[in-house]
Amino acid sequence: KKNPVTTMFTSRGCPYRCTYCKLNFQKTLQRSAQNVVDEFEKIQELGISEVEVYDDTFTWQPKRVQDICKGILERGIKVSWAIRDRVSGVREENLDLLRKAGCNRIHLGIESASEKTLKTIKKNIHIPQIEEAVRLVKKYDFTTLNYFMIGLPGETREDVHETIDYALKLDADFTEFNICIPYAGTELYETALQT
């Protein structure tokens, strides 16, 4: 929505172990909250007004999220930004802070509307969590983008149609469907080799 735009990584990797994810063999690292706020400040000084934060899972340490948001607010930084998250990472106590600190869009990895499929891919989330996370994100007026995957292990044609219907029901501002790919190094890849 605003130009110019830049990107930022505040952490790498993810502590969760979904079977399809190539991050499972990547070391999880994160920058300090102060270091991240320093970069936001420098971005603003450069005249950049929007940031895409490309962390795989931005909120995996809730206190760090709070420290980043508080630092942005304390320094009076006025930059719009977006994050990627898991539905299990959505916490109401952080949403208000994120919004006040300029975060305006949250991307949620949902993947499937089938509890069976979510269990198979070790997503470690459940349908009620998904619905509550989406409800909370909308309550705080974030733009929502939901990710889904098609072709997950054991998925039937009916499961795919159920997921599409579910995506429509969640009524996100944007919905993205991706085809499941068994990347080398993932548990899904090893399973695919054995079938």
Side-chain angles (χ1 to χ4, degrees):
K1 291 185 178 179
K2 299 179 181 179
N3 279 314
V5 178
T6 192
T7 59
M8 180 192 296
F9 284 97
T10 79
S11 68
R12 295 299 300 267
C14 176
Y16 300 94
R17 294 292 174 252
C18 305
T19 63
Y20 58 84
C21 190
K22 63 187 183 301
L23 300 173
N24 288 353
F25 50 85
Q26 186 178 55
K27 186 176 181 182
T28 305
L29 302 168
Q30 63 181 351
R31 295 163 51 197
S32 71
Q34 181 176 335
N35 181 268
V36 173
V37 176
D38 288 345
E39 184 172 352
F40 267 108
E41 190 169 54
K42 179 55 75 176
I43 284 168
Q44 180 173 265
E45 288 171 7
L46 291 168
I48 298 169
S49 52
E50 188 169 345
V51 179
E52 282 286 323
V53 178
Y54 275 108
D55 294 26
D56 303 301
T57 305
F58 181 75
T59 63
W60 55 273
Q61 283 208 329
K63 183 175 183 321
R64 180 173 167 271
V65 173
Q66 293 166 13
D67 291 343
I68 290 169
C69 292
K70 287 174 183 173
I72 288 170
L73 291 167
E74 286 165 6
R75 296 194 203 180
I77 297 167
K78 303 290 184 197
V79 172
S80 296
W81 46 294
I83 62 169
R84 282 137 187 82
D85 204 359
R86 288 174 51 90
V87 299
S88 59
V90 174
R91 290 175 172 79
E92 187 162 14
E93 62 270 20
N94 283 350
L95 289 175
D96 187 47
L97 203 48
L98 281 161
R99 199 74 178 96
K100 286 176 180 171
C103 183
N104 61 10
R105 186 173 67 250
I106 296 181
H107 302 205
L108 293 173
I110 296 172
E111 320 318 349
S112 176
S114 163
E115 285 279 2
K116 173 195 71 172
T117 302
L118 291 171
K119 184 175 181 180
T120 299
I121 62 173
K122 299 182 181 174
K123 185 72 180 174
N124 200 25
I125 61 171
H126 301 283
I127 300 301
Q129 279 179 295
I130 294 168
E131 293 171 0
E132 179 64 2
V134 171
R135 184 189 73 77
L136 287 171
V137 168
K138 287 182 176 185
K139 175 182 173 181
Y140 286 89
D141 200 30
F142 288 91
T143 299
T144 54
L145 188 156
N146 293 340
Y147 296 117
F148 292 90
M149 295 178 79
I150 301 295
L152 291 162
E155 196 171 54
T156 65
R157 184 179 296 267
E158 291 73 26
D159 292 332
V160 171
H161 286 288
E162 182 183 348
T163 294
I164 293 168
D165 291 343
Y166 190 62
L168 291 168
K169 175 187 164 188
L170 291 175
D171 192 32
D173 297 295
F174 302 95
T175 301
E176 184 176 309
F177 289 89
N178 295 290
I179 304 301
C180 179
I181 299 171
Y183 288 107
T186 64
E187 184 177 333
L188 180 60
Y189 180 82
E190 297 305 320
T191 301
L193 288 178
Q194 294 166 16
T195 58

